[in-house]
Amino acid sequence: MKLCLLGPEGTFSEMAARKWSRDADLIFMDDMESVAIAVEEGACDEGILPIENSLEGPVGAVMDLLLDISSPIIGEVILPIKQCLMSRGSLENIRIIVSHPQALGQCRHYIHEHFPGAEVRTTGSTSHAARLAQEFPEMAAIGCSESAQKYGLKVLKEGIQDHPNNYTRFIVLGRKEAAPTGHDKTSLAVYLDRDRPGALYDFLGEFAHRQINMTRIESRPSKKLLGDYWFFIDVEGHRDDALLREAISALKDKCTTLKVLGSYPRADIA
């Protein structure tokens, strides 16, 4: 089975992929769009992408991709994130800190407190940051300890994220809908009529009066007009469950567009 993910090797995405499937052949891609396209076009069986972090919130680029593809979400992985500061040099010599924007955001207060004068640069991945830090002893990367091992760096400080309970949720895209397990989640994307007062309240009421638990709601600009949004909603249950099937049917009359992104087994925080 071919499982594609954002590369290069030595990232949290690779850790999540290994947690999802230890036997899959991992195919590393240059960007998140390529991961989605590879699954959509059948070049890979599954693809794994980060969708939200408990400190930094949603990954907007992935939310946008979900609107454009037909491949369903078939699973999720919740990965505890422990960020490390790594370098060829010593703590005293660090002048530049590099990493992916999400990782830098997760360590914002640590950087401000311990390296107030350092230049902070963004990279496409935490692994790419580690590869850059190989070149200069005054440069440090932020990422997972696996990156330090792969690129021959010293872990100068471990667990530098600003809050100890740091988790990233990854979604798995596949070719075929996941069957019900009795412990499922369904993800929806909804575009409401912006001119109708109380539209969102009315929409969410279909879940409430059926006692369907909503676990997440995020807004994302529609890119059409200022103040115009898509809403991404996660609810407990599978789309084939009677109550949720009934709710989805009722909701189609209350919005401009409703897209079921997938029903899949819920992952629990370990």
Side-chain angles (χ1 to χ4, degrees), residues 180-241:
T181 66
H183 187 72
D184 301 302
K185 175 187 289 185
T186 295
S187 293
L188 308 167
V190 180
Y191 182 63
L192 300 172
D193 185 344
R194 68 190 298 271
D195 294 324
R196 183 161 62 87
L200 182 59
Y201 178 86
D202 192 25
F203 188 93
L204 298 180
E206 295 291 346
F207 297 126
H209 83 254
R210 290 179 175 86
Q211 300 295 301
I212 296 172
N213 187 36
M214 185 176 66
T215 59
R216 172 178 175 256
I217 181 168
E218 300 279 357
S219 62
R220 183 72 182 155
S222 69
K223 301 179 175 60
K224 295 178 182 179
L225 295 168
L226 184 65
D228 197 45
Y229 298 98
W230 278 88
F231 291 93
F232 290 78
I233 299 169
D234 290 347
V235 295
E236 291 182 355
H238 194 280
R239 66 184 301 174
D240 290 339
D241 295 346

Side-chain angles (χ1 to χ4, degrees), residues 14-29:
E14 183 178 1
M15 294 172 65
R18 296 294 185 194
K19 186 175 181 179
W20 173 254
S21 175
R22 295 195 174 276
D23 300 324
D25 293 329
L26 299 188
I27 311 297
F28 294 93
M29 313 299 275

Side-chain angles (χ1 to χ4, degrees), residues 37-170:
I37 291 173
V39 179
E40 188 83 349
E41 296 182 347
C44 289
D45 302 293
E46 297 175 356
I48 191 164
L49 290 167
I51 186 70
E52 63 174 326
N53 174 262
S54 59
L55 302 186
E56 286 297 290
V59 181
V62 174
M63 294 166 70
D64 291 343
L65 283 171
L66 291 173
L67 298 176
D68 295 330
I69 62 174
S70 59
S71 304
I73 302 173
I74 63 167
E76 64 178 0
V77 173
I78 298 176
L79 189 72
I81 303 297
K82 184 177 287 188
Q83 299 287 7
C84 299
L85 186 74
M86 60 194 84
S87 178
R88 276 178 49 201
S90 62
L91 281 171
E92 296 76 20
N93 295 328
I94 300 306
R95 300 291 178 267
I96 303 168
I97 297 175
V98 294
S99 196
H100 186 275
Q102 280 267 341
L104 293 171
Q106 293 165 28
C107 305
R108 186 179 294 113
H109 297 305
Y110 175 86
I111 295 170
H112 178 74
E113 181 179 354
H114 296 277
F115 299 95
E119 179 184 351
V120 178
R121 300 179 185 175
T122 62
T123 60
S125 70
T126 55
S127 185
H128 183 219
R131 190 164 58 190
L132 287 175
Q134 284 181 304
E135 306 296 327
F136 310 100
E138 70 275 14
M139 180 180 285
I142 293 176
C144 61
S145 57
E146 282 79 356
S147 289
Q149 296 170 11
K150 179 173 177 58
Y151 294 103
L153 302 175
K154 296 178 290 186
V155 174
L156 303 179
K157 187 72 175 178
E158 192 171 13
I160 65 170
Q161 65 276 1
D162 294 331
H163 298 276
N165 295 323
N166 186 21
Y167 296 89
T168 294
R169 175 179 166 239
F170 293 79

